[in-house]
Amino acid sequence: MAQEYDYLFKTIVVGDGGVGKTALTIRFSKGIFTEDYKMTIGVDFHVKTISIEIDEGLITCKLQVWDTGGEERFGSIRPMYYQGSLGAILVFDLTNYASFEHLLKWIEEVRTNIKFEIPLLLVGNKSDLPDQRAISMEEINQFAKDFNLYYIETSAKTGKRVDDCFYVLTCLMAGLDIAEIKLRL
Ligand code: GDP
Ligand code: MG
């Protein structure tokens, strides 16, 4: 039987509790936003297949998106969570400055647990709350530049740019040129 995808990518979503990791994952995999799902306990993964258009045709990528609680209890399952990850989405909450300050800790966490370089995508979530915005664009741009990260602002609530963020990370994992990708977005 023909395989129904060209690539299988395990992707992890990291960031402080409450930034919207679960909301983003569910918005991407199921296309919905709900206020009343339970806080993630342990780990959960969601699967979705997306297609990327390149000059030679379509590349079909199956994404396995691992979502976890950001809390301490996550400690014991950490190795299983990181093992085999080929990309990471680093999420902070645009309305919560502390979640932005903690990004460094999350980058270190990823680098400690994954021994080779994997693409990281920086995501500022809750863009639907501009009045509560707590981090300036300058600060974010500087951070993204310092760590050489591609940055996207999303709203899991409205769905804005959620697909783009997984699409860009998938392109990076597939080794496609980011300049090319930008043109297609
Ligand atoms: P997690 O702990 O990182 O998994 O965060 P959750 O996905 O559980 O989200 C934490 C809270 O933020 C929940 O009350 C969500 O409804 C809310 N939330 C998540 N994403 C958004 C968003 O894009 N906009 C708004 N306004 N609220 C969001
Ligand atoms: Mg969660």
Side-chain angles (χ1 to χ4, degrees):
M1 201 179 88
Q3 198 171 305
E4 77 275 28
Y5 53 84
D6 300 308
Y7 293 103
L8 173 64
F9 292 127
K10 176 178 171 182
T11 305
I12 50 175
V13 185
V14 299
D16 281 6
V19 297
K21 299 182 298 298
T22 301
L24 278 171
T25 306
I26 291 179
R27 165 62 81 180
F28 170 66
S29 61
K30 301 200 171 68
I32 55 166
F33 178 80
T34 139
E35 296 278 355
D36 56 28
Y37 48 78
K38 294 184 198 73
M39 191 172 82
T40 316
I41 294 172
V43 209
D44 203 5
F45 76 78
H46 299 258
V47 176
K48 187 172 174 178
T49 300
I50 64 173
S51 296
I52 299 172
E53 215 187 314
I54 58 164
D55 293 342
E56 292 76 23
L58 281 184
I59 308 178
T60 307
C61 302
K62 188 168 174 176
L63 294 194
Q64 212 183 60
V65 184
W66 289 57
D67 172 35
T68 180
E71 303 76 24
E72 302 73 48
R73 74 171 93 92
F74 166 42
S76 57
I77 47 138
R78 181 176 288 143
M80 171 183 109
Y81 186 65
Y82 283 101
Q83 192 176 40
S85 298
L86 295 173
I89 295 184
L90 194 62
V91 190
F92 67 98
D93 175 348
L94 288 162
T95 71
N96 176 345
Y97 196 81
S99 74
F100 178 70
E101 285 184 312
H102 296 156
L103 287 172
L104 197 56
K105 172 180 103 54
W106 286 109
I107 292 178
E108 280 167 6
E109 166 95 10
V110 171
R111 293 200 174 142
T112 305
N113 288 284
I114 302 174
K115 299 299 175 202
F116 48 93
E117 286 269 316
I118 60 165
L120 294 182
L121 179 72
L122 181 63
V123 170
N125 187 43
K126 308 197 187 179
S127 65
D128 57 286
L129 301 171
D131 297 348
Q132 295 173 42
R133 196 178 166 111
I135 309 124
S136 72
M137 208 52 226
E138 290 74 33
E139 251 182 302
I140 299 169
N141 283 337
Q142 189 59 50
F143 186 86
K145 202 171 150 208
D146 289 347
F147 289 89
N148 196 22
L149 304 169
Y150 191 70
Y151 176 62
I152 291 187
E153 243 163 61
T154 59
S155 167
K157 187 166 187 171
T158 67
K160 192 171 179 196
R161 300 215 70 196
V162 173
D163 286 351
D164 287 351
C165 109
F166 285 93
Y167 184 87
V168 168
L169 184 69
T170 305
C171 291
L172 291 171
M173 292 188 292
L176 300 172
D177 191 342
I178 196 81
E180 286 262 317
I181 303 163
K182 271 191 203 170
L183 294 176
R184 290 164 206 266
L185 283 178

